[in-house]
Amino acid sequence: MNAAVDRTPSSILGPAQLGAALPGALRKLDPRALLATPVMLVVELGAAATTVLTALDPSVLGVAVTVWLWLTVLFGALAESVAEGRGKAQAASLRALQTETTARRVRGGGSRGGRGLLDLATDEVASTDLRAGDVVVVAAGERIPGDGDVVEGVASVDESAVTGESAPVIRESGGDRCAVTGGTTVLSDRIAVRITSDPGQSFVDRMIALVEGSQRQRTPNEIALNVLLGSLTVVFVAVCTSLYFVADHSGARQSVLVLTALLVCLIPTTIGALLSAIGIAGMDRLVRRNVLAMSGRAVEAAGDVDVLLLDKTGTITHGNRRAHEVLTVPGVPRERLVEAALLSSLADETPEGRSIVELLGAGREVPAGATLVVFSATTRMSGLDDGDRRVRKGAASAVCAWARESGGSQPQAVLDAVETVSASGGTPLVVAEQIGAGPVRLLGVVHLKDVVKEGIRERFGEMRAMGIRTVMITGDNAVTAAAIAREAGVDDFLAEATPEDKMALIRREQAGGRMVAMCGDGTNDAPALAQADVGVAMNTGTTAAKEAGNMVDLDSDPTKLIEVVEIGKQLLITRGALTTFSVANDVAKYFAILPAMFVVAFPQLDGLNVMRLSSPGSAIVSAVVFNALVIVALIPLALRGVRYRPAAADALLRRNLLLYGLGGFVAPFVGIKLLDLLVSLVPGL
């Protein structure tokens, strides 16, 4: 759990939480605030009506009904206020990151195109004066003044204030790990950062807005359910209105107060009061797991995901291929291969090149008089020229082509080693040397290996049990992709994928009626993240990826998607369970209360009065009190969520109906009867 972001108390309904939420709940009693929840608006209008009637004709029944109707509205508002308060508590800790700092802004906006920026003159300005496009220089011990991308340099950055992880991370220019977040601290070296957001639009600003439940927009499913609840409310208004005339015609006139109380008991007040809290709590549970959902719609969509697409590099694997071993060929001493591989890597500043130096002999210096040959995308080789000796290391095709041009041979042992490394999911780099004008000789192969993240195979197995198909997307060739897919345990893979290929795959799956989730961290993943129903961007990734997705994983852990899906399913199940409970409650209250209320006017209803409630007045008050208390009893479940267990849809439906349907039907009979025994002791009822 994120210690920096999650500062919510362990108790969901402790005195401190209730005390903090009460002022917000009272503000929500404003009828304008209740327009979005028609059920609770009807309850408040009913409470206002009974207040007026009781003032005109005071009675114990009138006072009891009025007080508990107002409490019903308050409890519903309290549920939403408690859910919002948990998010606001997290937002308060995030605001600590927004302290104004001094920034060193590069003069002229860094017009050198991203090179030599660290040497340009700077001006000290307030962080609030920075605008998108400005370039700032940040040194060790300084706080990064705003969101941006590293455009020059490499540094170790402490992101614990955002992610809660104490281990520093490396941020460098020119890759998919260039994005930095305002409020984090540089621990070593210096970097030039191009600011990507204006004041008030930073990542932390968006985090604050998202975790504050009051700024959460209702999802389409919530809106649809509100329409359904509103329709049921209209039906019961019509039913209760007709009962007034029936009772009056029968000589047993029921007051508007009694029928108002009956209306509140019969409309779906339970789910109406808890619906908003369920949605807010779903997003809150994601935040406490270091995942930011940009909308409630994304959380709901996660609960329906059928297909999960994952970018390989940085998502399934750690991102940087590392030197694993060197493979010699017959006739070449291992020491000679190691020396050539090491010398040819001294000029290679890529992560792969640095890993070869670390594996074979960190600290080795360039020989006196030697010339380094820097790796380039054109030659796809790096190396060193020392007198009449030239050593090179690079892609197999490039080095073999160099050998052919000089008249050198390509030993089958080298080609076999290249094929073996590729088949295992690794990347082969061939090492060669040339003496004078003689032919190039291939010395052996360096095996670079993609390291699959720990525990990911087991998590993919859990996804499979949930009915989710996993697909790995990579730019690697099919042989390499197949090997990584087997090691990671994914169901399928798409090799040599371009951004267009990713988009086409997502659209094909969506055209088949499936909900697609996509994990990624690079700019080339941005189109697919935007197209997917659920796009989870890694926080270590580029700004473009985070802007395109509708979720951001602060921990940059692709296996976290299993928790995202579980929380999405938990949200849907919780809403369905409490809706089932609420409707079953209403049906039970209908049969429990009406016979007791109208037995005087219609004696034949006495046979249906199975609970044998003491009197019509006691039945009314007991039902109203039960109706209010059940909301309070279910607030913890709404905030915590119904526990999700991977199972087939029909099994979940049966469990839902048995536990919450049957439970919702039985609970009013038990609860109202117990309350009736107490209420009947009150004089005047």
Side-chain angles (χ1 to χ4, degrees), residues 13-30:
L13 282 180
Q17 290 71 46
L18 292 177
L22 188 57
L26 293 174
R27 287 192 294 270
K28 291 180 181 296
L29 296 182
D30 185 337

Side-chain angles (χ1 to χ4, degrees), residues 147-159:
D147 294 354
D149 293 328
V150 179
V151 291
E152 184 177 329
V154 57
S156 175
V157 179
D158 176 10
E159 294 187 341

Side-chain angles (χ1 to χ4, degrees), residues 182-195:
T184 57
T185 303
V186 173
L187 298 179
S188 68
D189 303 291
R190 297 166 68 232
I191 51 176
V193 177
R194 189 177 301 279
I195 301 299

Side-chain angles (χ1 to χ4, degrees), residues 634-651:
L634 291 175
I635 289 178
L637 181 61
L639 299 183
R640 186 175 57 250
V642 175
R643 183 178 178 184
Y644 172 72
R645 299 181 180 87
D650 56 345

Side-chain angles (χ1 to χ4, degrees), residues 68-327:
W68 281 98
L69 287 186
W70 280 115
L71 287 175
T72 302
V73 185
L74 180 62
F75 292 157
L78 188 65
E80 184 173 359
S81 187
V82 168
E84 290 177 359
R86 288 157 61 85
K88 289 175 180 176
Q90 295 165 342
S93 66
L94 291 172
R95 285 194 174 92
L97 295 174
Q98 295 185 305
T99 56
E100 184 173 316
T101 60
T102 299
R104 288 183 289 152
R105 182 171 59 191
V106 174
R107 293 177 185 174
S111 57
R112 290 193 185 181
R115 286 296 171 190
L117 295 172
L118 294 174
D119 300 324
L120 295 179
T122 60
D123 297 315
E124 290 194 357
V125 299
S127 58
T128 52
D129 293 334
L130 295 175
R131 296 293 183 271
D134 288 344
V135 176
V136 297
V137 174
V138 190
E142 296 178 350
R143 177 174 288 192
I144 297 173
D147 294 354
D149 293 328
V150 179
V151 291
E152 184 177 329
V154 57
S156 175
V157 179
D158 176 10
E159 294 187 341
S160 60
V162 174
T163 67
E165 293 294 332
S166 58
V169 296
I170 300 299
R171 292 290 177 263
E172 57 187 335
S173 62
D176 290 342
R177 297 178 181 273
C178 63
V180 291
T181 303
T184 57
T185 303
V186 173
L187 298 179
S188 68
D189 303 291
R190 297 166 68 232
I191 51 176
V193 177
R194 189 177 301 279
I195 301 299
T196 56
S197 63
D198 291 325
Q201 300 176 3
S202 69
F203 187 59
V204 172
D205 287 316
R206 283 181 288 147
M207 288 169 66
I208 292 172
L210 289 168
V211 300
E212 288 186 325
S214 59
Q215 300 186 27
R216 185 190 64 91
Q217 294 183 344
R218 285 174 168 77
T219 65
N221 282 345
E222 271 186 279
I223 295 172
L225 189 52
N226 264 319
V227 171
L228 173 62
L229 299 181
S231 302
L232 291 175
T233 301
V234 171
V235 170
F236 281 112
V237 167
V239 169
C240 291
T241 301
S242 65
L243 287 176
Y244 173 83
F245 295 105
V246 170
D248 185 54
H249 179 74
S250 305
R253 182 187 179 106
Q254 301 293 318
S255 67
V256 174
L257 182 146
V258 171
L259 289 176
T260 300
L262 176 64
L263 170 64
V264 171
C265 291
L266 297 184
I267 62 177
T269 51
T270 304
I271 186 61
L274 299 175
L275 182 59
S276 184
I278 294 169
I280 295 172
M283 294 183 69
D284 175 70
R285 284 192 292 276
L286 275 180
V287 170
R288 285 184 282 125
R289 287 165 175 79
N290 271 4
V291 178
L292 295 180
M294 303 304 179
S295 69
R297 183 196 301 260
V299 185
E300 289 183 349
D304 291 326
V305 164
D306 303 301
V307 180
L308 169 60
L309 309 182
L310 301 107
D311 182 56
K312 185 205 73 174
T313 305
T315 305
I316 291 177
T317 65
H318 282 288
N320 292 330
R321 295 168 297 176
R322 300 187 60 82
H324 178 62
E325 60 180 341
V326 291
L327 304 175

